[in-house]
Amino acid sequence: MGEAKRRQDLGIPPRIKKVNHEKSDRYISWLPITKSRIKKYPYMGVATMALGAIIFLVSGGFNTTS
């Protein structure tokens, strides 16, 4: 017999889920990037910087005329 059915038979209300919102895994509350996701993919920072460098160099880099 499952716990939910046993609680129903005994007349006990369903269990309330305990959610701790204060201890969040996110760096910033509105940003969907979490610490555990970054730990899963440690190369993402390097890949992002490489992509930014490539875009910077293709767009002209430090080549300015004045």
Side-chain angles (χ1 to χ4, degrees), residues 53-64:
I54 291 170
I55 292 172
F56 178 73
L57 291 173
V58 167
S59 67
F62 290 112
N63 188 10
T64 59

Side-chain angles (χ1 to χ4, degrees), residues 11-32:
I12 302 172
R15 198 185 274 197
I16 299 172
K17 292 183 180 181
K18 297 177 185 176
V19 179
N20 189 358
H21 291 289
E22 294 175 8
K23 181 149 175 105
S24 179
D25 192 23
R26 295 182 177 194
Y27 285 110
I28 302 172
S29 62
W30 53 268
L31 194 65

Side-chain angles (χ1 to χ4, degrees), residues 36-59:
S36 57
R37 185 176 292 173
I38 288 178
K39 286 180 184 176
K40 255 189 210 178
Y41 307 107
Y43 57 85
M44 287 303 286
V46 177
T48 305
M49 285 189 286
L51 182 63
I54 291 170
I55 292 172
F56 178 73
L57 291 173
V58 167
S59 67

